[in-house]
Amino acid sequence: MGMLTKLLRSWVARSTPAPSKPSEDDRARPISGRLGQDFAVIKQAFGGSVDVAGVEISLDPQGRQKIGLAYIQGLVNSAAVQDLTKESLILRASDFGDALIQSSSIAEKEALLRNLIAPIGSIARVGTIDEVLAAMLSGFAVILAEGLPCGFSTDTRKDSDRTVEEPATQSVVRGPREGFTESLETNVSLVRKRIRSPQLWLETSRIGRATQTEVGLMYLKGTADEAVIEEARRRLARIDIDGILESSYIEELIQDETATLFPTMYNTERPDVTAAGLLEGRIAIVVDGTPFVLLAPALFIQFYQSAEDYYQRFEFATLIRLLRYVCFFITLLAPALYIAITTFHQELLPSPLLFNLAAQREGIPFPAFVEALIMEVTFEILREAGVRLPKTVGQAVSIVGALVIGQSAVEAGLVSPGMVIVVAITAISNFVIPSFNMGISIRILRFVLMVIAAIFGLFGVTMGLVAIVQHLCTLRSFGVPYMSPMAPYNNADQKDTILRLPQWAMFARPRHLTRNRIRQRDARAAGPRHKD
Amino acid sequence: MLDKGRIGLHQLTVLAILFTVGSSVLIAPSSLAYEAREDAWIAALLALVVGLLAVGLYNGLARLFPSATLVGMARLSLGRWLGGAVSWLYLGYFFMLSALVLRNIGDFMTTQVLPKTPIQFIHIFFLLVVVAGIRNGLEPFARAAEIFLPWVMLFFVTMVVLLPPEFHIENLQPVLGYGIKPVLRGTISLFSTPYTEVVLFLMIIPLVRKRDRSGKALLTGVLIGGLMLAIIALLSILVLGADLATKQAFPSYSLAKKISIGDFLERLEVVMAGIWFITIYFKLGLCFYASTMILGELTGASDVKPFYLPLGLSLLALSIVIYPNFAYFVTFASRVDFLYSLPFALGFPLLFWIGWLIRGRLG
Amino acid sequence: MLGTLAILFAGAGIAALELPALLRRHKFKDAAIFLSLLALGLILAIWTALPQELPNPLDWIIWMFEPWGEQLHRILS
């Protein structure tokens, strides 16, 4: 497997050209202090894009002191820019104007200018054209002054953001209905709302040469494993790509193993899931521009747990979890078992069932394997089509597809009704798995197992399962074995794996994630004092 | 250490259980019943006791030579040259064992489950899965063992629980009717496999994390595995009777065939076969691991990972030729195996001990 | 014939899979061991496909130990 990845990487490396070095000229070019020239340089850097605005304002009628304002329309909050011009530059210009005009030292001018625009807040000094451009691209308005070799950027960023709504992919019956949005700030604030501890630390960096996407690394200091934090930091720093558009780019670039079907990083749209993960000692990677936050380390068992498990009663949650694991086996094995049993091991079925199945398969021209393959592929086609179709039509097509096509296929004698049932159960069980990317992995494996079942029967299925489990045991996510806490077996962590014990019984954090394990001290303290 | 992975105590126990049950659960009851007849279960328990004594020997050796594998022990106690020679012998022993185990499962498959498939394909498929599993070292292999053990136990217990309706207690009689000698013959046959093969764990103990408690873990594992074997022997006699158990090549498979719950739960033997696949997978994996690790240590390689595939080719070839038919294998198992394994299980380990004593006096 | 070809093909596949990684890391001793093992495996595997019988180590072992085993069995009968 490592061989395949290496081959892939060398082909990729050979076909991509070396990144062009940024031209040294305008990168570190200092601000000249002559407004006209500076504005020209700025406009030229953008190739004369019409949404780049440069405004010159004179502080006094004689035009002895000019102030320049540069920003990109669309990225700035126009009200804020208006405030900026009105409040500071115009209203207070009278006070500061004379002082500015008269002062001759540059340091003094700089200080005066800073005071002039101070009321706006969040001012940062910019010293080179490069910094000016970067600031403008982030939605800041940059203020330059005639005769001053530096400028100031002010936070006038536009608040264009989706309102916080229910997450589209991971919904619950009981629990908060807030989902992340595309803005990093909003998302971080949604998490901070839930974990109001100064220990919740955030480190940001900009990744992607062209996109300069802001990426945040969040963790609970003192709870999360230092080694994991450091590893995440290191991996993020090593990313060298032209653009990050979605957290999946980062996931693919920094995950432990690429040559595996199984996801080793968890992604979620929900702030409460993120907060829970952080509290357990995980780290969260938030990416600007997407509502999907990455959580690491991720374990196999996590992909079968849902936020809802913690919001409903524990008995119910335990049973539902057991149901999910049963569904995992069904969706992975059902078609393969059908093929294996009907082809090689008919004696496993009770006689009445066997007769029925045999009668059903009487007129079918295909062997069981081909029959199963046709049905499964048809179902995959229908499912993919269902995702692309507009909402109004989508529902109709999936129902039509399932019922009518299935029914017609049976009546045409192409497939047996037993097969349709198997495929239907398989598909529905797939949706029980809460995590979509795990569901994808299983879909692919299902086909592999079908092929093996067709050749080697149950023996093949067993060995195939052994191979899959063995592969899972080889994986690690940020250093933690993927199959923890089942293997290596850990008694303490079993309380929240297959079962879900009540909150008062879970008084320690998972051992494989953190050393800081005390979660609650006296578990039953909150209950009634004595029962009489 | 050639293998950088480490395993925990629990994993050691699990590996020991799966190894002991290994292929013996499939082939042992037959020869046991042939020699000891109704007292097969007594023979099994006796063999277990002797086996545990052997484990005690290995644990002692492990304490004398901390963090040394079998090769290390041989070299330290007998000198580089002699120790190396003994290690080569062990390599041959474990490699032969791997071929035998692989051939066992191949025979089982072609006679009972998939008669139409050529045996080579089964060997290739099985071997590929084993190689893929063991290539990454012992640690992931042990983790997989931890995951599969509950299933193996579950199916084993299911079988034990579902069989009582088929018991014929009278099959157990006469107890010791023919004297102790048949029992001893049976003990010998069961001792030669798997208990003498447990010497393999001398290659694994150095990888355990809490070395001081590893002895108990190994003992527990072999004990549980041995008990499972004894139970299978007992069940074979109770349900099939001594005569039938002797005539079957794979009595535990026939046992599973007998399970019947109200006309509905029948023909579960295919499921049982799946369990034996798993135990044999782990036994074969461990044997192959041991051989390759010995090779790696002897040749001074830095990593044995690339060696599994080419060695697998040789193993495949050996497994095809190793015996022409099952009768030949029975001859081997009943007459030859014990004496052939004895040097490896007891002879050389005692030699290591003596060598250690001598070297202690000299140096 | 077909079997021999398949075996050679498999051998080539194995070499392609493992050899480049070994050579890139300059592990020449390991590569040498690997190649000798591969050669041995290919020879043995092709031999099984041929009509001529491969010598069976088990034969030698049985030859060595059977007399004693027979004795032991007689003692315990």
Side-chain angles (χ1 to χ4, degrees), chain A residues 318-356:
Chain A
T318 301
L319 288 172
I320 290 290
R321 270 197 185 165
L322 288 173
L323 183 66
R324 276 196 215 121
Y325 300 130
V326 169
C327 283
F328 164 65
F329 282 109
I330 295 180
T331 188
L332 185 66
L333 293 173
L337 284 178
Y338 178 84
I339 295 175
I341 294 180
T342 53
T343 317
F344 294 97
H345 309 283
Q346 293 88 349
E347 66 278 6
L348 259 188
L349 300 167
S351 319
L353 183 57
L354 184 55
F355 294 147
N356 268 331

Short mmCIF file of all heavy atoms in Angstrom, two decimals, chain A residues 318-356:
data_model
loop_
_atom_site.label_atom_id
_atom_site.label_comp_id
_atom_site.label_asym_id
_atom_site.label_seq_id
_atom_site.Cartn_x
_atom_site.Cartn_y
_atom_site.Cartn_z
N THR A 318 -28.01 3.27 24.84
CA THR A 318 -27.26 2.02 24.73
C THR A 318 -27.90 1.11 23.69
O THR A 318 -27.22 0.53 22.85
CB THR A 318 -27.24 1.31 26.10
OG1 THR A 318 -26.64 2.18 27.04
CG2 THR A 318 -26.46 0.03 26.02
N LEU A 319 -29.22 0.99 23.75
CA LEU A 319 -29.88 0.11 22.79
C LEU A 319 -29.71 0.61 21.36
O LEU A 319 -29.46 -0.16 20.44
CB LEU A 319 -31.37 0.00 23.13
CG LEU A 319 -31.66 -0.82 24.39
CD1 LEU A 319 -33.12 -0.72 24.76
CD2 LEU A 319 -31.26 -2.27 24.17
N ILE A 320 -29.84 1.91 21.19
CA ILE A 320 -29.68 2.44 19.83
C ILE A 320 -28.26 2.21 19.33
O ILE A 320 -28.03 1.92 18.16
CB ILE A 320 -30.03 3.95 19.81
CG1 ILE A 320 -31.51 4.11 20.02
CG2 ILE A 320 -29.61 4.58 18.51
CD1 ILE A 320 -32.34 3.66 18.86
N ARG A 321 -27.31 2.34 20.25
CA ARG A 321 -25.93 2.07 19.82
C ARG A 321 -25.77 0.64 19.38
O ARG A 321 -25.13 0.35 18.37
CB ARG A 321 -24.97 2.35 20.98
CG ARG A 321 -24.51 3.75 21.00
CD ARG A 321 -23.30 3.91 21.83
NE ARG A 321 -22.98 5.32 21.90
CZ ARG A 321 -22.15 5.85 22.76
NH1 ARG A 321 -21.56 5.08 23.63
NH2 ARG A 321 -21.91 7.14 22.75
N LEU A 322 -26.35 -0.28 20.17
CA LEU A 322 -26.27 -1.69 19.78
C LEU A 322 -26.91 -1.87 18.41
O LEU A 322 -26.40 -2.60 17.56
CB LEU A 322 -26.96 -2.56 20.82
CG LEU A 322 -26.20 -2.69 22.13
CD1 LEU A 322 -27.02 -3.42 23.16
CD2 LEU A 322 -24.90 -3.43 21.90
N LEU A 323 -28.00 -1.19 18.19
CA LEU A 323 -28.66 -1.28 16.89
C LEU A 323 -27.72 -0.82 15.78
O LEU A 323 -27.64 -1.42 14.72
CB LEU A 323 -29.93 -0.42 16.89
CG LEU A 323 -30.75 -0.47 15.61
CD1 LEU A 323 -31.31 -1.85 15.42
CD2 LEU A 323 -31.87 0.56 15.65
N ARG A 324 -26.99 0.23 16.06
CA ARG A 324 -26.07 0.74 15.04
C ARG A 324 -25.00 -0.27 14.71
O ARG A 324 -24.64 -0.44 13.55
CB ARG A 324 -25.40 2.03 15.53
CG ARG A 324 -26.24 3.22 15.30
CD ARG A 324 -25.45 4.48 15.42
NE ARG A 324 -26.34 5.47 16.01
CZ ARG A 324 -26.11 6.09 17.13
NH1 ARG A 324 -24.99 5.87 17.79
NH2 ARG A 324 -26.97 6.95 17.60
N TYR A 325 -24.49 -0.96 15.73
CA TYR A 325 -23.44 -1.93 15.44
C TYR A 325 -24.01 -3.09 14.66
O TYR A 325 -23.37 -3.64 13.77
CB TYR A 325 -22.77 -2.40 16.74
CG TYR A 325 -22.14 -1.27 17.49
CD1 TYR A 325 -22.39 -1.07 18.84
CD2 TYR A 325 -21.34 -0.34 16.84
CE1 TYR A 325 -21.83 -0.01 19.52
CE2 TYR A 325 -20.78 0.72 17.52
CZ TYR A 325 -21.03 0.89 18.86
OH TYR A 325 -20.50 1.94 19.52
N VAL A 326 -25.24 -3.50 15.00
CA VAL A 326 -25.87 -4.56 14.21
C VAL A 326 -26.00 -4.10 12.76
O VAL A 326 -25.73 -4.84 11.82
CB VAL A 326 -27.25 -4.91 14.80
CG1 VAL A 326 -28.01 -5.81 13.85
CG2 VAL A 326 -27.09 -5.59 16.15
N CYS A 327 -26.42 -2.85 12.58
CA CYS A 327 -26.58 -2.33 11.22
C CYS A 327 -25.25 -2.28 10.50
O CYS A 327 -25.20 -2.48 9.28
CB CYS A 327 -27.20 -0.92 11.27
SG CYS A 327 -28.95 -0.96 11.58
N PHE A 328 -24.20 -2.02 11.21
CA PHE A 328 -22.88 -2.03 10.58
C PHE A 328 -22.63 -3.39 9.96
O PHE A 328 -22.21 -3.50 8.81
CB PHE A 328 -21.82 -1.70 11.63
CG PHE A 328 -20.43 -2.05 11.22
CD1 PHE A 328 -19.82 -1.41 10.16
CD2 PHE A 328 -19.72 -3.03 11.88
CE1 PHE A 328 -18.53 -1.72 9.77
CE2 PHE A 328 -18.44 -3.35 11.50
CZ PHE A 328 -17.84 -2.71 10.45
N PHE A 329 -22.91 -4.45 10.72
CA PHE A 329 -22.68 -5.78 10.17
C PHE A 329 -23.62 -6.07 9.01
O PHE A 329 -23.24 -6.68 8.02
CB PHE A 329 -22.83 -6.85 11.26
CG PHE A 329 -21.64 -6.93 12.15
CD1 PHE A 329 -21.70 -6.49 13.45
CD2 PHE A 329 -20.44 -7.42 11.67
CE1 PHE A 329 -20.60 -6.55 14.27
CE2 PHE A 329 -19.33 -7.48 12.47
CZ PHE A 329 -19.40 -7.04 13.78
N ILE A 330 -24.86 -5.65 9.16
CA ILE A 330 -25.83 -5.92 8.09
C ILE A 330 -25.38 -5.25 6.81
O ILE A 330 -25.32 -5.86 5.75
CB ILE A 330 -27.24 -5.42 8.48
CG1 ILE A 330 -27.77 -6.21 9.66
CG2 ILE A 330 -28.17 -5.54 7.29
CD1 ILE A 330 -29.14 -5.76 10.09
N THR A 331 -25.07 -3.96 6.92
CA THR A 331 -24.79 -3.24 5.69
C THR A 331 -23.48 -3.70 5.05
O THR A 331 -23.32 -3.63 3.84
CB THR A 331 -24.77 -1.72 5.94
OG1 THR A 331 -24.68 -1.05 4.71
CG2 THR A 331 -23.62 -1.32 6.80
N LEU A 332 -22.59 -4.21 5.87
CA LEU A 332 -21.33 -4.67 5.29
C LEU A 332 -21.46 -6.05 4.69
O LEU A 332 -20.93 -6.34 3.62
CB LEU A 332 -20.25 -4.67 6.38
CG LEU A 332 -18.84 -5.01 5.94
CD1 LEU A 332 -18.33 -3.94 5.02
CD2 LEU A 332 -17.93 -5.14 7.14
N LEU A 333 -22.20 -6.92 5.39
CA LEU A 333 -22.15 -8.33 5.05
C LEU A 333 -23.34 -8.88 4.29
O LEU A 333 -23.24 -9.92 3.67
CB LEU A 333 -21.99 -9.16 6.33
CG LEU A 333 -20.66 -8.99 7.06
CD1 LEU A 333 -20.71 -9.72 8.38
CD2 LEU A 333 -19.53 -9.53 6.22
N ALA A 334 -24.49 -8.20 4.38
CA ALA A 334 -25.71 -8.83 3.87
C ALA A 334 -25.60 -9.33 2.43
O ALA A 334 -25.87 -10.50 2.16
CB ALA A 334 -26.90 -7.88 4.03
N PRO A 335 -25.21 -8.50 1.47
CA PRO A 335 -25.16 -9.04 0.10
C PRO A 335 -24.14 -10.16 -0.02
O PRO A 335 -24.39 -11.17 -0.68
CB PRO A 335 -24.76 -7.83 -0.75
CG PRO A 335 -24.93 -6.65 0.11
CD PRO A 335 -24.79 -7.10 1.51
N ALA A 336 -22.98 -9.98 0.64
CA ALA A 336 -21.94 -11.01 0.56
C ALA A 336 -22.45 -12.33 1.13
O ALA A 336 -22.25 -13.40 0.55
CB ALA A 336 -20.69 -10.56 1.29
N LEU A 337 -23.13 -12.26 2.27
CA LEU A 337 -23.66 -13.48 2.87
C LEU A 337 -24.71 -14.12 1.97
O LEU A 337 -24.75 -15.33 1.81
CB LEU A 337 -24.27 -13.18 4.25
CG LEU A 337 -23.26 -12.97 5.37
CD1 LEU A 337 -23.96 -12.64 6.66
CD2 LEU A 337 -22.40 -14.20 5.54
N TYR A 338 -25.55 -13.29 1.39
CA TYR A 338 -26.56 -13.82 0.49
C TYR A 338 -25.90 -14.60 -0.64
O TYR A 338 -26.28 -15.73 -0.94
CB TYR A 338 -27.40 -12.67 -0.07
CG TYR A 338 -28.46 -13.09 -1.05
CD1 TYR A 338 -29.69 -13.56 -0.63
CD2 TYR A 338 -28.23 -13.02 -2.42
CE1 TYR A 338 -30.66 -13.94 -1.53
CE2 TYR A 338 -29.19 -13.40 -3.34
CZ TYR A 338 -30.41 -13.86 -2.88
OH TYR A 338 -31.37 -14.24 -3.79
N ILE A 339 -24.89 -13.99 -1.24
CA ILE A 339 -24.21 -14.66 -2.34
C ILE A 339 -23.56 -15.95 -1.87
O ILE A 339 -23.69 -17.01 -2.48
CB ILE A 339 -23.14 -13.73 -2.94
CG1 ILE A 339 -23.79 -12.53 -3.57
CG2 ILE A 339 -22.30 -14.46 -3.96
CD1 ILE A 339 -22.80 -11.51 -4.06
N ALA A 340 -22.85 -15.86 -0.73
CA ALA A 340 -22.12 -17.03 -0.25
C ALA A 340 -23.07 -18.17 0.07
O ALA A 340 -22.85 -19.32 -0.31
CB ALA A 340 -21.30 -16.66 0.97
N ILE A 341 -24.16 -17.84 0.76
CA ILE A 341 -25.06 -18.90 1.20
C ILE A 341 -25.81 -19.51 0.03
O ILE A 341 -25.94 -20.73 -0.08
CB ILE A 341 -26.02 -18.37 2.27
CG1 ILE A 341 -25.22 -18.01 3.52
CG2 ILE A 341 -27.07 -19.39 2.60
CD1 ILE A 341 -26.05 -17.48 4.64
N THR A 342 -26.31 -18.67 -0.86
CA THR A 342 -27.09 -19.25 -1.95
C THR A 342 -26.22 -19.97 -2.96
O THR A 342 -26.69 -20.87 -3.65
CB THR A 342 -27.91 -18.18 -2.69
OG1 THR A 342 -27.02 -17.15 -3.10
CG2 THR A 342 -28.99 -17.61 -1.82
N THR A 343 -24.96 -19.60 -3.03
CA THR A 343 -24.10 -20.28 -4.01
C THR A 343 -23.44 -21.53 -3.43
O THR A 343 -23.38 -22.56 -4.07
CB THR A 343 -23.00 -19.32 -4.50
OG1 THR A 343 -23.58 -18.06 -4.74
CG2 THR A 343 -22.35 -19.85 -5.75
N PHE A 344 -22.89 -21.41 -2.21
CA PHE A 344 -22.08 -22.51 -1.70
C PHE A 344 -22.70 -23.26 -0.54
O PHE A 344 -22.46 -24.45 -0.39
CB PHE A 344 -20.73 -21.97 -1.20
CG PHE A 344 -19.86 -21.41 -2.28
CD1 PHE A 344 -19.84 -20.06 -2.53
CD2 PHE A 344 -19.07 -22.24 -3.05
CE1 PHE A 344 -19.03 -19.54 -3.53
CE2 PHE A 344 -18.26 -21.73 -4.04
CZ PHE A 344 -18.24 -20.38 -4.29
N HIS A 345 -23.43 -22.55 0.30
CA HIS A 345 -23.80 -23.19 1.56
C HIS A 345 -25.31 -23.19 1.74
O HIS A 345 -25.82 -22.75 2.76
CB HIS A 345 -23.17 -22.44 2.74
CG HIS A 345 -21.71 -22.22 2.58
ND1 HIS A 345 -20.80 -23.22 2.78
CD2 HIS A 345 -21.00 -21.12 2.23
CE1 HIS A 345 -19.58 -22.72 2.56
NE2 HIS A 345 -19.67 -21.47 2.22
N GLN A 346 -26.00 -23.76 0.78
CA GLN A 346 -27.46 -23.70 0.89
C GLN A 346 -27.95 -24.41 2.14
O GLN A 346 -29.05 -24.13 2.62
CB GLN A 346 -28.13 -24.36 -0.33
CG GLN A 346 -27.93 -23.63 -1.63
CD GLN A 346 -26.68 -24.07 -2.34
OE1 GLN A 346 -25.85 -24.77 -1.76
NE2 GLN A 346 -26.52 -23.67 -3.59
N GLU A 347 -27.15 -25.33 2.66
CA GLU A 347 -27.65 -26.12 3.78
C GLU A 347 -27.77 -25.31 5.06
O GLU A 347 -28.34 -25.76 6.03
CB GLU A 347 -26.77 -27.35 4.01
CG GLU A 347 -25.37 -27.07 4.47
CD GLU A 347 -24.42 -26.72 3.34
OE1 GLU A 347 -24.88 -26.58 2.20
OE2 GLU A 347 -23.22 -26.57 3.63
N LEU A 348 -27.25 -24.09 5.06
CA LEU A 348 -27.35 -23.29 6.26
C LEU A 348 -28.76 -22.78 6.52
O LEU A 348 -29.12 -22.46 7.63
CB LEU A 348 -26.44 -22.06 6.14
CG LEU A 348 -25.12 -22.15 6.88
CD1 LEU A 348 -24.43 -20.82 6.83
CD2 LEU A 348 -25.32 -22.55 8.32
N LEU A 349 -29.56 -22.70 5.46
CA LEU A 349 -30.88 -22.13 5.64
C LEU A 349 -31.86 -23.20 6.09
O LEU A 349 -31.77 -24.35 5.67
CB LEU A 349 -31.36 -21.54 4.31
CG LEU A 349 -30.49 -20.43 3.73
CD1 LEU A 349 -30.88 -20.17 2.30
CD2 LEU A 349 -30.64 -19.17 4.55
N PRO A 350 -32.82 -22.80 6.91
CA PRO A 350 -33.87 -23.74 7.28
C PRO A 350 -34.65 -24.14 6.04
O PRO A 350 -34.85 -23.33 5.14
CB PRO A 350 -34.76 -22.99 8.25
CG PRO A 350 -34.16 -21.68 8.46
CD PRO A 350 -32.96 -21.51 7.59
N SER A 351 -35.10 -25.38 5.98
CA SER A 351 -35.68 -25.93 4.75
C SER A 351 -36.77 -25.08 4.12
O SER A 351 -36.73 -24.85 2.91
CB SER A 351 -36.21 -27.34 4.99
OG SER A 351 -35.33 -28.05 5.81
N PRO A 352 -37.76 -24.61 4.86
CA PRO A 352 -38.82 -23.84 4.19
C PRO A 352 -38.25 -22.63 3.46
O PRO A 352 -38.62 -22.36 2.31
CB PRO A 352 -39.73 -23.41 5.34
CG PRO A 352 -39.40 -24.28 6.48
CD PRO A 352 -38.00 -24.74 6.31
N LEU A 353 -37.36 -21.92 4.15
CA LEU A 353 -36.77 -20.74 3.53
C LEU A 353 -35.98 -21.14 2.29
O LEU A 353 -36.03 -20.44 1.26
CB LEU A 353 -35.84 -20.05 4.55
CG LEU A 353 -35.20 -18.75 4.09
CD1 LEU A 353 -36.27 -17.76 3.67
CD2 LEU A 353 -34.34 -18.16 5.18
N LEU A 354 -35.31 -22.26 2.40
CA LEU A 354 -34.49 -22.71 1.28
C LEU A 354 -35.36 -22.99 0.06
O LEU A 354 -35.05 -22.59 -1.06
CB LEU A 354 -33.71 -23.97 1.68
CG LEU A 354 -32.74 -24.49 0.64
CD1 LEU A 354 -31.78 -23.41 0.23
CD2 LEU A 354 -32.00 -25.68 1.19
N PHE A 355 -36.49 -23.65 0.31
CA PHE A 355 -37.38 -23.96 -0.82
C PHE A 355 -37.88 -22.68 -1.47
O PHE A 355 -37.92 -22.55 -2.69
CB PHE A 355 -38.55 -24.81 -0.36
CG PHE A 355 -38.14 -26.19 0.09
CD1 PHE A 355 -38.81 -26.83 1.10
CD2 PHE A 355 -37.05 -26.82 -0.49
CE1 PHE A 355 -38.43 -28.09 1.52
CE2 PHE A 355 -36.65 -28.07 -0.07
CZ PHE A 355 -37.35 -28.71 0.93
N ASN A 356 -38.28 -21.74 -0.61
CA ASN A 356 -38.78 -20.47 -1.14
C ASN A 356 -37.74 -19.79 -2.00
O ASN A 356 -38.02 -19.37 -3.13
CB ASN A 356 -39.16 -19.53 0.01
CG ASN A 356 -40.60 -19.68 0.37
OD1 ASN A 356 -41.41 -20.02 -0.48
ND2 ASN A 356 -40.93 -19.45 1.63
#
